[in-house]
Amino acid sequence: MSSDIRFTDFKTDKQPTWCPGCGDFGTMNGMMKALANTGNDPDNTFVVAGIGCSGKIGTYMRSYALHGVHGRALPVGIGTKLANPELEVMVAGGDGDGYSIGAGHFIHAVRRNVDMTYVVMDNRIYGLTKGQASPTSREDFETSTSPDGPKQPPVNPLALALAAGGTFIAQSFSSDSQRHTEIVKEAIEHDGFGFVNVYSPCVTFNDVDTYDYFRDTIVDLSETDHDPTDYDDAKSAILDADKEYQGVIYQDEGSVPFDEREGLSEPMHDIPDGAPEDAMDLVREFY
Amino acid sequence: MPADLNWAIGGEAGDGIDSTGKIFAQALSRAGRHVFTSKDFASRIRGGYTAYKIRTSVDQVESVVDRLDILIALTERTIDENMDELHEGSVIIYDGERTTMQDVEIPDGMVGLDVPLKSLAEDAGGAIMRNIVALGAACEVTNFPIENLDESLDKRFKDKGQAIVENNKEAARLGQEYVAEEFDHDFDYDVETTDNDYVLLNGNEALGMGAIAAGCRFYSGYPITPATSIMEYLTGRLDSYGGKVVQAEDELAAINMALGAARAGARAMTATSGAGIDLMTETFGLVAQSETPLVITDVQRSGPSTGMPTKQEQGDLNMALYGGHGEVPRFVVAPTSISECFWKTIEAFNLAEKYQTPVFLVSDLAMSVSEQTFPPEVFDMDEVEIDRGKVVDEDSISEWQNEKEQFQPHFPAADGVSPRTFPGTDGGAHMTTGLEHDELGRRTEDTDVRIEQVDKRQQKVETAREAEEWDYREYGDTDADTLVISWGSNEGAMREALGFLDEKDIDVRFISVPYIFPRPDLSEEIEAADDVIVVECNSTGQFADLLEHDTLTRLKRVNKYNGVRFKADELAAEIEDKLAEPSEVEAE
């Protein structure tokens, strides 16, 4: 790890195929900056993503990376981190990836509290499959598969995380580059599972949850008297359906990550050339 | 006196059948006798018929037979369930004072020992020990020194305190004395003890032990019968080697966690049974496409769907071979005995890492729950060799970088095996994806690169075909006109069936195949035989299909799919019947 690492060192020479103006550019840049600002370099970083627009991130970020199957990025990240706690593990997902097909993994990853960071690029639409309703789409949002709207309330990922025992719950807006970077940085520095839901507008298929909409409505919690260490404060903000917040919404200062609780600190890749020295003891257990 | 003794305890699930059987099996093993155990159990926690059977001899035993010499029947149903295996002279130990057993009728010629198990147990300190009273009674019937049972009781109950241990010993003694005093009979079932020291373990324990010996550091799984005991074995033990067992939220998470750990450089494994393999299949292709070394164990049970969760079958072979969309290079290794569960697991890890592919390790329920005795040197840890394949470190990484100093994880090496580097290695940062990719791991739809990468991955199988020994185990008479072939846990029963067939002057050459893909070429052996019979626990003959495909020859099949493993004497009879049928015409 070198100290003169810059966020551009996390870029590959591949030009992103995201639509011009896509919120994911800002989301990714913030992730790179936050990684660089926390002293990480590409060779000690492992980025995992699933499928969809968010899943492409591993192609554009230079690091050890895995682009897996839809919705399963979190378990991959958990396995990687436990097998080598020295790595900085960051998982990227989308709202479909994380809150629909991967919803089960999401709540279990939250409650497992492995020391890693999960960034969800939430655009409230399925982009890469060309504009179907996502789990965070508004109830009346008209799409190709929901001509009259999904007619069901959107998932509240922050509430899911709080209910599952989340120890770091935050939200940011990809266009507010500085705040987004700060928030992801705090998530990385958190001892445990750092979860950031990022408003990352889709300029092609979502004409409701636009940059203008978020710019006009977003409230930065750091400019209010919100206390992220106060569970009730967090609950109020998360259940407030009338506002869009950014900032650290909840942080459990007593969080002890799963890997630390389990005494995992050494990489698991070094093994002997043969059976362990005391291996015959394993046989003798069966006397 | 028969060379072997067949003993069983049966009752309802929750009666402590399993632990009682295990106590006796361990006592016999410690007394230097060979033991092979089998279990009948239903998919419920309490109630329902369940039994633990022990076959014991001074010689090695590795199968079950259709005979029961001593039966401890805790319920009347236990006698009914085993009526076919009981014979003239069989001893049935039961408690006639029990309300439900007052009308038990012992068939003519059998010996009923009505022992007040419950009241004697109460005398010793508690009704719960009635099973131990019955074990004491069985010791008297077999002239088995009760001191050997005491050692087992020590081991079993020492955590519960010395008082409990002493009560149990007393319970056993009361059972023994009751039979000695109340029944005047020469039981003819004396078991001889020896000075040998054996270990007693089942297939899943052998598999788990193999994983540790092979340097497995990460295991993630989701509970499912009959694979769970692998996870239970590794839990606690893996930690002491710096590893971790994770009980995942589902099978999808389990295989993805294992994939992540494997990418991080750990030797990683997941295990499940057929229904769980279906869920894992989604990620199976990713494992192959990303060239990640991973051992995926399938302990088969009766399918399809949830089928019969607690019953034997070998119906997943086609799934292991063909499961997953697209064309996926893989290895399929199937241990043929409990000790092979140990050795083949080690081999599976080596194959996975040498060739950077998923390896299906296919076991079956009969092997996973049956226990067998072995001299400990069968698991000689000095013989364990670990080969991690082409791992590149910081010193050698420049050899595998392109002119832009980018590491090439999918470099199309002639043998199909690319360099591999663990995350954290300087200069090795790279992309891994399930998408088709170039040598750097970057997505591509370039037609030439596609062909290059597909060929590269397939080449690994061809390289392995040449480099590794895909051999088989052979028993019986190599010149015999009759050839029997089997895979998986049928080996033990078939080996013993050879003896039964020999008594009828039927010479058989028996080949037991531990590799499904790649597998040994058996063309010559099949051509040399007049009759070829493939034995397997499924209804269609999935392995027979493969051999027919390999040799373009019609083969006879013996299939069992009622949920029960093959028994040696039954198998011998089936083979005799099959030989009486005309051979089918060979394919033109």
Side-chain angles (χ1 to χ4, degrees):
Chain A
M1 207 186 296
S2 62
S3 55
D4 54 353
I5 205 84
R6 290 172 48 81
F7 90 93
T8 47
D9 293 319
F10 282 93
K11 285 192 171 178
T12 65
D13 53 6
K14 280 271 183 185
Q15 201 59 35
T17 57
W18 290 320
C19 304
C22 174
D24 291 352
F25 287 97
T27 308
M28 180 174 75
N29 280 337
M31 291 163 69
M32 293 176 180
K33 285 177 187 163
L35 281 166
N37 292 350
T38 46
N40 290 289
D41 72 20
D43 287 324
N44 86 311
T45 304
F46 198 101
V47 174
V48 195
I51 283 180
C53 293
S54 66
K56 295 181 172 185
I57 199 161
T59 312
Y60 314 136
M61 277 181 74
R62 196 167 79 83
S63 71
Y64 284 92
L66 188 128
H67 171 230
V69 292
H70 200 195
R72 318 290 171 213
L74 281 170
V76 174
I78 289 169
T80 307
K81 181 69 184 183
L82 298 184
N84 187 351
E86 291 177 355
L87 297 173
E88 189 63 49
V89 174
M90 185 173 279
V91 176
D95 37 324
D97 186 84
Y99 309 142
S100 196
I101 191 166
H105 303 311
F106 173 55
I107 57 171
H108 291 284
V110 167
R111 61 187 273 262
R112 197 169 269 122
N113 201 32
V114 172
D115 189 12
M116 55 199 273
T117 307
Y118 183 39
V119 177
V120 178
M121 302 164 165
D122 182 1
N123 57 12
R124 302 178 173 178
I125 186 83
Y126 284 166
L128 205 56
T129 51
K130 301 190 191 291
Q132 299 80 27
S134 99
T136 49
S137 293
R138 295 161 189 249
E139 202 162 350
D140 58 355
F141 184 54
E142 295 169 14
T143 75
S144 63
T145 51
S146 59
D148 303 317
K151 295 179 179 171
Q152 51 196 316
V155 159
N156 181 339
L158 309 175
L160 275 180
L162 192 71
T167 60
F168 183 96
I169 300 167
Q171 194 154 254
S172 64
F173 175 32
S174 70
S175 175
D176 189 344
S177 172
Q178 191 188 335
R179 281 295 287 140
H180 166 60
T181 302
E182 283 169 8
I183 290 164
V184 176
K185 181 170 179 278
E186 284 193 59
I188 293 171
E189 287 170 341
H190 173 69
D191 290 331
F193 189 78
F195 164 53
V196 187
N197 190 65
V198 188
Y199 294 135
S200 190
C202 173
V203 293
T204 306
F205 294 107
N206 193 332
D207 55 7
V208 178
D209 302 294
T210 60
Y211 286 103
D212 283 344
Y213 163 74
F214 285 113
R215 258 183 224 118
D216 291 346
T217 53
I218 209 151
V219 175
D220 197 311
L221 289 169
S222 66
E223 291 162 9
T224 70
D225 60 358
H226 180 80
D227 176 5
T229 65
D230 185 305
Y231 189 86
D232 289 328
D233 258 19
K235 198 164 68 178
S236 306
I238 283 171
L239 295 180
D240 180 358
D242 298 331
K243 290 219 175 60
E244 311 285 4
Y245 291 108
Q246 73 170 348
V248 178
I249 298 170
Y250 181 65
Q251 183 165 20
D252 176 0
E253 290 180 313
S255 165
V256 181
F258 178 86
D259 28 323
E260 192 180 316
R261 263 184 284 141
E262 295 293 321
L264 297 172
S265 57
E266 301 292 319
M268 294 180 185
H269 54 58
D270 290 329
I271 58 169
D273 295 335
E277 274 181 25
D278 60 352
M280 277 316 281
D281 290 348
L282 294 167
V283 184
R284 282 187 277 271
E285 278 185 47
F286 293 107
Y287 270 125
Chain B
M1 190 185 304
D4 60 321
L5 177 86
N6 293 280
W7 177 100
I9 180 166
E12 289 193 358
D15 276 346
I17 302 297
D18 209 47
S19 52
T20 312
K22 184 76 182 268
I23 288 167
F24 196 46
Q26 275 178 338
L28 289 162
S29 167
R30 282 157 175 253
R33 292 185 62 85
H34 275 295
V35 167
F36 186 84
T37 75
S38 61
K39 294 171 192 176
D40 288 340
F41 58 111
S43 186
R44 55 195 286 180
I45 295 169
R46 298 196 71 90
Y49 171 71
T50 181
Y52 188 106
K53 296 187 174 179
I54 297 174
R55 186 155 177 240
T56 176
S57 166
V58 286
D59 302 318
Q60 178 77 270
V61 275
E62 50 185 323
S63 64
V64 287
V65 288
D66 257 332
R67 199 179 78 242
L68 202 46
D69 305 310
I70 300 174
L71 174 66
I72 297 172
L74 297 180
T75 57
E76 194 171 351
R77 183 178 170 189
T78 304
I79 301 174
D80 298 337
E81 289 276 350
N82 293 283
M83 193 52 73
D84 290 350
E85 296 187 6
L86 292 165
H87 56 85
E88 196 172 320
S90 288
V91 174
I92 301 168
I93 298 167
Y94 67 104
D95 186 349
E97 285 181 4
R98 204 173 180 188
T99 333
T100 55
M101 298 200 76
Q102 283 167 356
D103 300 326
V104 165
E105 284 182 27
I106 301 299
D108 286 346
M110 294 183 195
V111 183
L113 302 185
D114 182 352
V115 182
L117 303 175
K118 191 179 168 204
S119 11
L120 291 174
E122 281 166 352
D123 292 346
I128 196 171
M129 294 183 295
R130 64 199 177 105
N131 298 359
I132 307 300
V133 176
L135 280 186
C139 287
E140 179 61 22
V141 173
T142 53
N143 264 331
F144 182 70
I146 203 160
E147 298 71 35
N148 288 300
L149 189 62
D150 287 348
E151 283 182 28
S152 261
L153 294 171
D154 274 328
K155 183 175 178 176
R156 182 79 193 184
F157 294 114
K158 67 171 188 285
D159 292 345
K160 295 190 172 176
Q162 197 53 36
I164 301 284
V165 171
E166 292 308 323
N167 287 351
N168 276 282
K169 288 180 181 175
E170 175 66 9
R173 234 176 323 274
L174 290 177
Q176 182 195 31
E177 284 167 10
Y178 189 86
V179 173
E181 286 163 16
E182 298 294 323
F183 302 101
D184 180 21
H185 198 286
D186 179 5
F187 295 110
D188 203 26
Y189 290 122
D190 289 5
V191 296
E192 185 187 334
T193 61
T194 78
D195 293 334
N196 292 319
D197 272 329
Y198 296 133
V199 291
L200 178 73
L201 70 170
N202 68 31
N204 276 359
E205 288 165 337
L207 199 151
M209 191 166 73
I212 296 178
C216 176
R217 288 289 181 271
F218 189 87
Y219 178 98
S220 46
Y222 187 75
I224 184 171
T225 303
T228 311
S229 59
I230 297 171
M231 179 157 60
E232 288 170 339
Y233 174 80
L234 291 173
T235 298
R237 290 183 179 82
L238 215 49
D239 299 46
S240 48
Y241 296 97
K244 183 68 197 156
V245 174
V246 177
Q247 181 176 322
E249 58 269 26
D250 56 35
E251 285 86 350
L252 299 145
I255 189 170
N256 278 286
M257 282 182 196
L259 165 70
R263 292 303 315 178
R267 281 198 153 189
M269 176 167 82
T270 183
T272 184
S273 190
I277 286 283
D278 288 351
L279 298 175
M280 291 185 178
T281 304
E282 178 193 53
T283 297
F284 174 69
L286 172 62
V287 175
Q289 184 83 335
S290 63
E291 304 195 61
T292 304
L294 192 64
V295 178
I296 303 163
T297 296
D298 176 19
V299 188
Q300 300 166 96
R301 65 187 207 189
S302 296
S305 190
T306 28
M308 297 196 292
T310 61
K311 302 299 173 190
Q312 161 72 353
E313 201 161 281
Q314 298 175 302
D316 297 353
L317 185 145
N318 284 340
M319 180 285 311
L321 267 176
Y322 306 119
H325 65 279
E327 296 174 303
V328 181
R330 72 192 79 193
F331 298 120
V332 183
V333 176
T336 55
S337 67
I338 289 167
S339 59
E340 284 294 289
C341 286
F342 175 80
W343 291 107
K344 292 299 176 214
T345 302
I346 296 164
E347 193 175 338
F349 277 100
N350 284 340
L351 286 171
E353 291 206 319
K354 276 170 81 175
Y355 299 100
Q356 298 170 32
T357 56
V359 178
F360 264 124
L361 187 62
V362 181
S363 175
D364 57 53
L365 181 135
M367 199 143 57
S368 70
V369 298
S370 287
E371 293 144 319
Q372 189 181 333
T373 38
F374 297 94
E377 55 270 22
V378 166
F379 307 100
D380 181 359
M381 294 291 178
D382 291 338
E383 294 286 311
V384 175
E385 287 175 15
I386 288 172
D387 187 340
R388 307 212 65 187
K390 289 189 196 171
V391 178
V392 171
D393 61 16
E394 269 138 33
D395 299 328
S396 55
I397 200 152
S398 58
E399 295 168 33
W400 298 99
Q401 286 172 328
N402 64 12
E403 65 283 357
K404 289 178 174 173
E405 295 188 356
Q406 293 164 313
F407 177 66
Q408 303 173 87
H410 302 286
F411 184 82
D415 61 0
V417 185
S418 311
R420 183 161 77 105
T421 187
F422 303 147
T425 306
D426 283 346
H430 68 267
M431 175 76 188
T432 302
T433 173
L435 292 166
E436 192 54 270
H437 43 256
D438 61 14
E439 74 284 355
L440 295 173
R442 298 179 309 194
R443 171 194 188 160
T444 183
E445 289 173 3
D446 181 298
T447 50
D448 293 336
V449 176
R450 161 72 178 173
I451 289 171
E452 183 178 65
Q453 288 292 323
V454 170
D455 289 349
K456 178 199 114 67
R457 292 190 295 266
Q458 286 300 339
Q459 179 57 42
K460 295 193 279 194
V461 175
E462 297 313 313
T463 302
R465 240 192 251 277
E466 294 298 314
E468 309 291 329
E469 277 194 49
W470 307 98
D471 55 359
Y472 55 80
R473 288 141 77 95
E474 183 160 10
Y475 306 94
D477 175 3
T478 49
D479 296 323
D481 295 330
T482 300
L483 171 62
V484 173
I485 303 172
S486 83
W487 65 285
S489 66
N490 312 314
E491 180 181 296
M494 188 56 216
R495 279 181 67 185
E496 188 168 350
L498 292 174
F500 289 102
L501 290 162
D502 188 51
E503 285 170 16
K504 299 198 168 188
D505 289 328
I506 300 171
D507 294 333
V508 173
R509 177 183 195 181
F510 170 45
I511 286 176
S512 179
V513 186
Y515 301 107
I516 309 300
F517 188 82
R519 56 187 169 274
D521 178 1
L522 296 175
S523 320
E524 279 182 29
E525 289 78 0
I526 287 173
E527 207 158 294
D530 290 340
D531 284 286
V532 182
I533 301 169
V534 184
V535 169
E536 50 192 317
C537 284
N538 55 45
S539 75
T540 54
Q542 297 178 23
F543 193 57
D545 286 345
L546 286 182
L547 296 175
E548 286 186 349
H549 172 270
D550 289 351
T551 60
L552 297 179
T553 304
R554 292 286 243 171
L555 307 175
K556 292 180 175 178
R557 296 149 193 244
V558 169
N559 300 97
K560 189 170 184 187
Y561 47 95
N562 63 354
V564 182
R565 66 185 307 150
F566 280 111
K567 294 171 183 171
D569 40 3
E570 164 206 51
L571 190 48
E574 290 252 16
I575 284 168
E576 198 182 347
D577 286 351
K578 200 51 76 174
L579 286 173
E581 291 176 11
S583 286
E584 293 185 51
V585 183
E586 288 188 9
E588 294 289 315

